[in-house]
Amino acid sequence: MPKTRFQALVESRNREYATINETGKRSDLFGKHVFNEEKMLQFLTAEAFDKVKSAIYQGNKIDRKIADQVAEGMKAWALSMGATHYTHWFQPLTGATAEKHDAFFDILPDGRAMEKFGGAQLVQQEPDASSFPSGGIRNTFEARGYTAWDPTSPAFIYKTTLCIPTIFVAYTGEALDNKAPLLRALQAIDQAATGVAQYFDKNVRKVHATLGWEQEYFLIDKSLVNSRLDLSVTGRTLVGSFSAKGQQLDDHYFGVIPARVLGFMSELEKECTKLGIPVKTRHNEVAPNQFELAPVFEEANLSVDHNLLLMDVMEEIADKYNFSVLFHEKPFAGINGSGKHNNWSLGTDTGVNLLSPGTTPMKNLQFLTFFVNTIKAVDTYEELLRASIASASNDHRLGANEAPPPIISIFIGQQLSDVLDELEGVSKGKLSPQEKTELKLNVVGKIPEILLDNTDRNRTSPFAFTGNKFEMRGVGSKMNCAKPMTTLNTIVAKQLTDFKKEVDTLIDKKNLKKDEAVFNVLREYIKTSKRIRFEGDGYGIEWQEEARRRKLSFNKNTPEALQVITSKESYELFKQMGVMNEVELKAHKEVELGAYIFHIQIEGRVLGEMVYNHIIPAAIKYQNMLLENIHGLKEVYGAAHKKVAEGQLNILEQIGEHIVEIKKLTDEMADARRRANGMSVVDKKAQAYCNNVRPYFDKIREHSDTLEKLIADEFWPFTKYREMLFSK
């Protein structure tokens, strides 16, 4: 057995870990390391506290005088908690988080030392923007970029650093991050949804989007991951023969959590609780060594920040337990990949979930209004929603092992389908008294207040209604939720804006009553968005053919999916909603395509190294052993050795054939990569990597996996699937 693999297996089997201690109430720890309202009341002046709350809830600006007061209070709290540094914590277009630490320590003109932090440092910083992806917004030599404080997401202390959530923009004002567009989208949905909600309750002054994510991940022993070049560099296994036992027995799902994993989870939850991340649910997922963590839902911007922070904390704590946490959407072929289901809804400042049915016909009409408008928005912009979940790694997951397909559709369940079918028959124009009664009492009025258990789940639906929210299931496990949430909130905001215009027109010009106008517009939306509703299995070829008949987009890969971002319709949508301008959209597309290219490029290089430096040498070494055996048999049996060594000769021949093919394919892949690298247009380069380079991966893997089965276990250089997936 190769030394690295052998050592890794010994290390993983001899791990020691601490005893789990989960005593004490979690609520006592919640928000301990967060500068929340409780801390602000203690450390801020009344004036500063009121101004910060006004900024959070009304979007009002904070002037420099108040910023100085806030900074002074924030510094006092941070120092009392043992913090020594501060940082603007932001989300560049890399998809991860970024930070640059500065010490509170400073020197006064007279040479004395003191801890210093003022409003200028709180509100704005100037990190070097030259090395972050900008999609052409900034030239490399133009380094100026700004981070600006986001008061809606509270500052927190991680280790010894005060982290201040911020946006990141270019010197020219365009967004260089994922947070700024999200904040604009949330503002758009607030304005649009509030106007519509006031049809039903004049007291509504604000609507906020909520998000509850479900984070799936794998935990693999660190030494086993480090023993594999592909897994440690790319996050997924590029080769590897399937284990005889995978997930087919369903014995891992919701099973007893292994003790070492439970220790990791326990410490993770405690740290998250201190940071204000309201983690609640933990369990084994379907695939071996796959797990899930989910929080209580929160306001969408805060929820996005918490998910990014969670992933940073997970990696930190996993390392303490000698685990590697794998966020890649498909680290292992043949078993379930990992998603990050985004559960989205809308809530009012009066405490109402707008996607939850109520006890009266009026409340249910409100529910149907937001329900149908969401369906209509997804139908109109389904291709854009698909683009928001596109990535090189998620391409492996979509459509495989219970993951939803890359065709966007909506599952709402039979009960609500029946309601929409009845509403589709509403008369045009004014309603008769009998029809009003029928609608309000027997159609709208009979929607149950709780729908959670009235519809079955559809695990293959990319966008499913689950009782009081929509679940966007196509989001990849390592993605920043800001991307799909920006798109979803933008398209729903646009749809609600159009809806209000249509309803107001019918009220003002057709003299229809409010309920009649709402019913009339909803009826048309139900008819025109019917194609997006699908209740069946999303895997079959029949659905693909049906989707084409319905004229739904079927963008199988990222380069195809991203083209819609720079369409005329997308420009108009994001510009009208004030979310992104044309320059920013072009930049986002270019950054996403660039990331796709680099991911495939790195995987191709790693795969080539594995073939030439490990797989072929291992195959030749085993060939030599077989040749020695055959030669020895020939010395003993003479000409009759061929019959005695028939099995060895057959294996020898097979290995030789696979060596020839795997080298040929790897050489061809390298040539295709070189040709793609010579292209200057990013769209064409991404398509070349997708269509001309990536197809070689599966062909090379097929020969490698066959060699893994043919070669004696002690000669194979890479830790095997059965060893990684069933180590505890």
Side-chain angles (χ1 to χ4, degrees), residues 616-629:
I616 290 178
I620 291 173
K621 189 174 182 180
Y622 188 55
Q623 271 187 323
N624 289 336
M625 192 197 80
L626 289 173
L627 284 169
E628 288 180 18
N629 177 259

Side-chain angles (χ1 to χ4, degrees), residues 139-153:
N139 293 312
T140 303
F141 63 84
E142 296 173 314
R144 197 178 294 269
Y146 296 107
T147 51
W149 176 36
D150 169 21
T152 65
S153 185

Side-chain angles (χ1 to χ4, degrees), residues 33-92:
H33 292 171
V34 181
F35 195 63
N36 51 25
E37 287 194 15
E38 179 187 346
K39 312 300 191 314
M40 286 192 283
L41 278 169
Q42 184 179 353
F43 286 90
L44 296 185
T45 64
E47 180 186 24
F49 177 74
D50 290 340
K51 292 291 185 182
V52 173
K53 286 194 68 176
S54 177
I56 295 171
Y57 297 110
Q58 281 81 47
N60 297 325
K61 290 188 177 181
I62 296 175
D63 61 34
R64 187 51 58 90
K65 174 191 169 186
I66 297 300
D68 284 335
Q69 293 181 28
V70 174
E72 189 60 37
M74 199 179 284
K75 181 190 74 174
W77 170 71
L79 293 175
S80 74
M81 294 292 292
T84 58
H85 290 71
Y86 64 90
T87 183
H88 275 200
W89 186 77
F90 58 103
Q91 306 170 24

